[in-house]
Coordinates of all heavy atoms in Angstrom, one line a residue:
G133 N -46.9 62.0 170.8 CA -47.7 62.9 170.1 C -48.6 63.7 171.0 O -48.5 63.6 172.2
K134 N -49.3 64.6 170.4 CA -50.1 65.6 171.2 C -51.5 64.9 171.5 O -52.2 64.6 170.6 CB -50.3 66.9 170.4 CG -51.0 68.0 171.1 CD -51.0 69.2 170.2 CE -51.8 70.4 170.7 NZ -51.9 71.5 169.7
K135 N -51.8 64.8 172.8 CA -53.1 64.2 173.2 C -54.2 65.0 172.6 O -54.3 66.2 172.6 CB -53.2 64.2 174.7 CG -52.2 63.2 175.4 CD -52.5 63.1 176.9 CE -51.4 62.3 177.6 NZ -50.3 63.0 178.0
G136 N -55.2 64.2 172.0 CA -56.4 64.9 171.5 C -56.2 65.5 170.1 O -57.1 65.9 169.4
H137 N -55.0 65.5 169.6 CA -54.7 66.0 168.2 C -55.4 65.0 167.2 O -55.4 63.8 167.4 CB -53.2 66.1 167.9 CG -52.8 66.7 166.6 ND1 -52.9 66.0 165.4 CD2 -52.4 67.9 166.3 CE1 -52.5 66.8 164.5 NE2 -52.2 68.0 165.0
A138 N -55.9 65.6 166.1 CA -56.7 64.8 165.2 C -55.9 63.6 164.6 O -56.4 62.5 164.6 CB -57.1 65.7 164.0
E139 N -54.6 63.8 164.3 CA -53.8 62.7 163.8 C -53.6 61.6 164.9 O -53.7 60.4 164.6 CB -52.4 63.2 163.3 CG -51.6 62.1 162.7 CD -50.1 62.4 162.5 OE1 -49.8 63.6 162.2 OE2 -49.3 61.6 162.7
V140 N -53.4 62.0 166.1 CA -53.1 61.1 167.2 C -54.4 60.3 167.5 O -54.3 59.1 167.7 CB -52.6 61.8 168.4 CG1 -52.5 60.9 169.6 CG2 -51.3 62.5 168.1
L141 N -55.6 60.9 167.4 CA -56.8 60.2 167.6 C -57.0 59.1 166.6 O -57.4 58.0 166.9 CB -58.0 61.1 167.6 CG -58.1 62.2 168.7 CD1 -59.3 63.1 168.5 CD2 -58.3 61.5 170.1
G142 N -56.6 59.4 165.3 CA -56.7 58.4 164.2 C -55.7 57.3 164.5 O -56.0 56.1 164.1
L143 N -54.6 57.6 165.1 CA -53.6 56.5 165.3 C -54.0 55.6 166.5 O -53.9 54.4 166.4 CB -52.2 57.1 165.7 CG -51.6 58.0 164.6 CD1 -50.3 58.6 165.1 CD2 -51.3 57.2 163.3
V144 N -54.5 56.3 167.6 CA -54.9 55.5 168.8 C -56.1 54.6 168.4 O -56.2 53.5 168.9 CB -55.2 56.5 169.9 CG1 -55.9 55.8 171.1 CG2 -54.0 57.2 170.4
G145 N -56.9 55.1 167.5 CA -58.1 54.4 167.0 C -57.7 53.0 166.4 O -58.6 52.1 166.4
Q146 N -56.5 52.9 165.9 CA -56.1 51.6 165.2 C -55.9 50.6 166.3 O -55.8 49.4 166.0 CB -54.8 51.8 164.5 CG -54.8 53.0 163.5 CD -55.8 52.9 162.4 OE1 -56.1 51.8 161.9 NE2 -56.5 54.0 162.1
T147 N -55.8 51.0 167.6 CA -55.5 50.0 168.7 C -56.7 49.9 169.6 O -56.5 49.5 170.8 CB -54.3 50.5 169.5 OG1 -54.6 51.7 170.2 CG2 -53.1 50.8 168.6
H148 N -57.9 50.2 169.2 CA -59.1 50.2 170.1 C -58.8 51.0 171.3 O -59.1 50.6 172.4 CB -59.5 48.7 170.5 CG -59.9 47.9 169.3 ND1 -61.0 48.2 168.5 CD2 -59.3 46.9 168.7 CE1 -61.1 47.3 167.5 NE2 -60.1 46.5 167.6

Side-chain angles (χ1 to χ4, degrees):
K134 187 177 172 187
K135 291 185 184 90
H137 185 281
E139 182 192 326
V140 175
L141 293 175
L143 300 177
V144 171
Q146 308 302 318
T147 69
H148 298 294

